[in-house]
Amino acid sequence: MKNKSQFKLFLELFATFFKIGSFTFGGGYAMIPLIEREVVENKKWVTEEEVIDVFAVAQSLPGAVAINSSTFIGYRIAGKKGALVATTGVILPSILIITVIAMFFSRVQDSPIVKAIFSGIRPAIVGLISVAALNISKASIIDKTGLFLATAAVVLVAVFDVQAIFIILAGAAVGLFIYYLFPLKVAKILNSGGHKD
Protein backbone atom coordinates (compact mmCIF):
# COMPACT_ATOMS: atom_id res chain seq x y z
CA MET A 1 0.00 0.00 0.00
CA LYS A 2 2.85 2.33 0.90
CA ASN A 3 4.61 1.58 -2.40
CA LYS A 4 1.39 2.33 -4.28
CA SER A 5 0.93 5.72 -2.60
CA GLN A 6 4.62 6.51 -3.09
CA PHE A 7 4.36 5.64 -6.79
CA LYS A 8 1.29 7.89 -7.05
CA LEU A 9 3.25 10.76 -5.45
CA PHE A 10 6.18 10.25 -7.83
CA LEU A 11 3.79 10.19 -10.78
CA GLU A 12 2.14 13.40 -9.56
CA LEU A 13 5.55 15.05 -9.07
CA PHE A 14 6.68 14.00 -12.54
CA ALA A 15 3.41 15.11 -14.21
CA THR A 16 3.43 18.48 -12.43
CA PHE A 17 7.00 19.33 -13.36
CA PHE A 18 6.59 17.91 -16.87
CA LYS A 19 3.68 20.33 -17.28
CA ILE A 20 5.85 23.19 -15.98
CA GLY A 21 8.75 22.15 -18.21
CA SER A 22 6.51 22.08 -21.26
CA PHE A 23 6.26 25.88 -21.10
CA THR A 24 9.94 26.42 -21.88
CA PHE A 25 9.68 29.71 -23.76
CA GLY A 26 11.63 32.38 -21.94
CA GLY A 27 13.70 30.05 -19.78
CA GLY A 28 13.63 29.54 -16.03
CA TYR A 29 12.40 32.99 -14.99
CA ALA A 30 9.32 32.67 -17.20
CA MET A 31 8.57 29.37 -15.43
CA ILE A 32 8.53 30.96 -11.97
CA PRO A 33 4.83 31.96 -12.07
CA LEU A 34 3.95 28.44 -13.29
CA ILE A 35 6.00 26.78 -10.56
CA GLU A 36 4.44 29.05 -7.95
CA ARG A 37 0.89 28.36 -9.16
CA GLU A 38 1.39 24.59 -9.32
CA VAL A 39 3.30 23.91 -6.10
CA VAL A 40 1.74 26.61 -3.88
CA GLU A 41 -1.83 27.14 -5.10
CA ASN A 42 -2.75 23.86 -6.81
CA LYS A 43 -0.74 21.18 -4.96
CA LYS A 44 -0.07 23.07 -1.71
CA TRP A 45 3.30 21.31 -1.38
CA VAL A 46 4.97 24.49 -0.07
CA THR A 47 3.78 27.85 1.22
CA GLU A 48 4.22 31.15 -0.59
CA GLU A 49 7.00 32.18 1.80
CA GLU A 50 8.78 28.85 1.36
CA VAL A 51 8.67 29.03 -2.45
CA ILE A 52 10.26 32.51 -2.30
CA ASP A 53 13.10 30.95 -0.29
CA VAL A 54 13.34 28.12 -2.84
CA PHE A 55 13.69 30.67 -5.68
CA ALA A 56 16.33 32.59 -3.70
CA VAL A 57 18.38 29.44 -3.11
CA ALA A 58 17.85 28.25 -6.70
CA GLN A 59 19.08 31.60 -8.06
CA SER A 60 22.08 31.55 -5.74
CA LEU A 61 23.37 28.23 -7.12
CA PRO A 62 24.84 27.39 -10.54
CA GLY A 63 22.30 26.12 -13.07
CA ALA A 64 18.86 27.09 -14.32
CA VAL A 65 16.48 28.45 -11.69
CA ALA A 66 13.63 26.17 -12.84
CA ILE A 67 15.76 23.02 -12.63
CA ASN A 68 17.23 23.98 -9.26
CA SER A 69 13.75 24.81 -7.94
CA SER A 70 12.26 21.52 -9.14
CA THR A 71 15.13 19.55 -7.57
CA PHE A 72 14.73 21.40 -4.26
CA ILE A 73 10.93 20.99 -4.15
CA GLY A 74 11.10 17.35 -5.26
CA TYR A 75 13.60 16.62 -2.47
CA ARG A 76 11.41 18.36 0.06
CA ILE A 77 8.34 16.37 -0.98
CA ALA A 78 9.87 12.90 -1.46
CA GLY A 79 13.58 12.88 -0.68
CA LYS A 80 16.32 12.00 -3.18
CA LYS A 81 13.98 10.01 -5.43
CA GLY A 82 11.53 12.91 -5.45
CA ALA A 83 14.32 15.28 -6.45
CA LEU A 84 15.29 12.98 -9.33
CA VAL A 85 11.69 12.55 -10.50
CA ALA A 86 10.89 16.30 -10.36
CA THR A 87 14.13 17.24 -12.13
CA THR A 88 13.55 14.64 -14.85
CA GLY A 89 10.00 15.91 -15.30
CA VAL A 90 11.06 19.53 -15.74
CA ILE A 91 13.94 18.89 -18.17
CA LEU A 92 12.38 16.17 -20.34
CA PRO A 93 10.06 18.49 -22.32
CA SER A 94 13.01 20.77 -23.13
CA ILE A 95 15.09 17.84 -24.36
CA LEU A 96 12.24 16.61 -26.56
CA ILE A 97 11.32 20.06 -27.89
CA ILE A 98 14.92 21.13 -28.56
CA THR A 99 15.63 17.84 -30.36
CA VAL A 100 12.62 18.35 -32.65
CA ILE A 101 13.43 22.03 -33.22
CA ALA A 102 17.08 21.23 -33.98
CA MET A 103 15.92 18.78 -36.65
CA PHE A 104 13.66 21.26 -38.41
CA PHE A 105 14.56 24.83 -37.37
CA SER A 106 17.39 25.34 -39.86
CA ARG A 107 14.87 24.72 -42.66
CA VAL A 108 12.24 27.15 -41.39
CA GLN A 109 14.16 29.82 -39.42
CA ASP A 110 13.89 32.37 -42.24
CA SER A 111 10.18 31.73 -42.73
CA PRO A 112 8.02 34.87 -42.24
CA ILE A 113 5.52 32.76 -40.27
CA VAL A 114 8.21 31.58 -37.81
CA LYS A 115 9.52 35.15 -37.44
CA ALA A 116 5.98 36.37 -36.76
CA ILE A 117 5.46 33.68 -34.11
CA PHE A 118 8.66 34.63 -32.26
CA SER A 119 7.89 38.35 -32.51
CA GLY A 120 4.72 37.58 -30.53
CA ILE A 121 6.37 35.19 -28.07
CA ARG A 122 9.13 37.60 -26.97
CA PRO A 123 6.85 40.30 -25.47
CA ALA A 124 4.70 37.62 -23.84
CA ILE A 125 7.81 36.27 -22.10
CA VAL A 126 8.59 39.75 -20.77
CA GLY A 127 5.08 39.80 -19.32
CA LEU A 128 5.55 36.41 -17.61
CA ILE A 129 8.86 37.47 -16.08
CA SER A 130 7.32 40.78 -14.92
CA VAL A 131 4.47 38.92 -13.17
CA ALA A 132 7.00 36.66 -11.44
CA ALA A 133 9.02 39.69 -10.30
CA LEU A 134 5.87 41.42 -9.01
CA ASN A 135 4.68 38.36 -7.06
CA ILE A 136 8.09 37.77 -5.50
CA SER A 137 8.48 41.46 -4.61
CA LYS A 138 5.13 41.47 -2.78
CA ALA A 139 6.29 38.65 -0.52
CA SER A 140 9.93 39.74 -0.19
CA ILE A 141 9.94 43.53 0.15
CA ILE A 142 8.38 44.01 3.56
CA ASP A 143 10.09 47.16 4.86
CA LYS A 144 12.22 50.15 3.81
CA THR A 145 15.42 48.11 4.07
CA GLY A 146 14.04 45.53 1.64
CA LEU A 147 12.94 48.25 -0.74
CA PHE A 148 16.39 49.86 -0.58
CA LEU A 149 18.12 46.51 -1.23
CA ALA A 150 15.85 45.70 -4.18
CA THR A 151 16.38 49.16 -5.72
CA ALA A 152 20.14 48.99 -5.16
CA ALA A 153 20.27 45.53 -6.77
CA VAL A 154 18.41 46.75 -9.87
CA VAL A 155 20.72 49.76 -10.22
CA LEU A 156 23.90 47.72 -9.68
CA VAL A 157 22.90 45.10 -12.25
CA ALA A 158 21.26 47.37 -14.85
CA VAL A 159 23.62 50.36 -14.68
CA PHE A 160 26.92 48.98 -13.42
CA ASP A 161 26.63 45.41 -14.77
CA VAL A 162 27.55 43.85 -11.40
CA GLN A 163 27.46 40.03 -11.41
CA ALA A 164 24.43 38.43 -9.71
CA ILE A 165 26.56 36.41 -7.27
CA PHE A 166 27.98 39.64 -5.74
CA ILE A 167 24.46 41.06 -5.35
CA ILE A 168 23.33 37.86 -3.60
CA LEU A 169 26.36 37.82 -1.28
CA ALA A 170 25.88 41.51 -0.46
CA GLY A 171 22.20 40.88 0.33
CA ALA A 172 23.15 37.98 2.61
CA ALA A 173 25.75 40.17 4.35
CA VAL A 174 23.18 42.93 4.95
CA GLY A 175 20.73 40.32 6.29
CA LEU A 176 23.32 39.03 8.76
CA PHE A 177 24.28 42.59 9.73
CA ILE A 178 20.63 43.43 10.52
CA TYR A 179 20.17 40.10 12.34
CA TYR A 180 23.05 40.78 14.75
CA LEU A 181 22.59 44.54 15.19
CA PHE A 182 18.79 44.76 15.26
CA PRO A 183 17.50 41.46 16.71
CA LEU A 184 14.17 43.00 17.79
CA LYS A 185 13.43 44.13 14.23
CA VAL A 186 14.25 40.65 12.91
CA ALA A 187 12.05 39.02 15.56
CA LYS A 188 9.15 41.31 14.63
CA ILE A 189 9.49 40.41 10.93
CA LEU A 190 9.72 36.68 11.68
CA ASN A 191 6.76 36.76 14.08
CA SER A 192 4.60 38.55 11.52
CA GLY A 193 5.30 35.74 9.04
CA GLY A 194 7.29 38.01 6.76
CA HIS A 195 4.34 40.33 6.04
CA LYS A 196 3.71 43.95 6.76
CA ASP A 197 1.27 44.75 9.52
Side-chain angles (χ1 to χ4, degrees), residues 5-179:
S5 64
Q6 194 174 40
F7 177 77
K8 186 179 176 184
L9 177 61
F10 288 150
L11 194 62
E12 192 175 8
L13 262 174
F14 180 83
T16 299
F17 282 99
F18 187 89
K19 177 181 174 183
I20 291 166
S22 297
F23 296 90
T24 54
F25 295 104
Y29 292 104
M31 289 182 186
I32 286 176
L34 300 172
I35 294 171
E36 189 175 7
R37 187 183 312 122
E38 288 297 320
V39 303
V40 176
E41 296 174 22
N42 295 347
K43 301 296 181 183
K44 301 193 184 329
W45 286 333
V46 293
T47 65
E48 187 177 349
E49 288 77 19
E50 288 169 334
V51 85
I52 300 294
D53 292 339
V54 168
F55 293 147
V57 170
Q59 174 59 34
S60 304
L61 299 171
V65 67
I67 296 172
N68 291 347
S69 299
S70 66
T71 304
F72 193 100
I73 293 166
Y75 184 83
R76 176 163 184 146
I77 302 304
K80 292 177 184 176
K81 290 179 181 176
L84 183 62
V85 168
T87 304
T88 303
V90 85
I91 66 172
L92 190 58
S94 297
I95 292 170
L96 297 174
I97 292 167
I98 293 299
T99 302
V100 171
I101 288 174
M103 290 166 57
F104 298 105
F105 189 68
S106 60
R107 300 178 196 171
V108 298
Q109 63 182 344
D110 295 323
S111 164
I113 294 172
V114 172
K115 288 182 178 178
I117 289 169
F118 278 98
S119 70
I121 288 173
R122 290 184 198 109
I125 296 308
V126 172
L128 286 172
I129 294 170
S130 300
V131 168
L134 184 63
N135 288 340
I136 290 172
S137 68
K138 284 179 183 175
S140 301
I141 301 173
I142 54 177
D143 58 8
K144 290 177 183 177
T145 305
L147 181 61
F148 171 77
L149 286 173
T151 305
V154 169
V155 171
L156 288 170
V157 172
V159 178
F160 298 102
D161 200 27
V162 176
Q163 292 293 319
I165 186 64
F166 297 119
I167 303 294
I168 292 166
L169 291 173
V174 171
L176 282 173
F177 178 80
I178 292 170
Y179 177 79

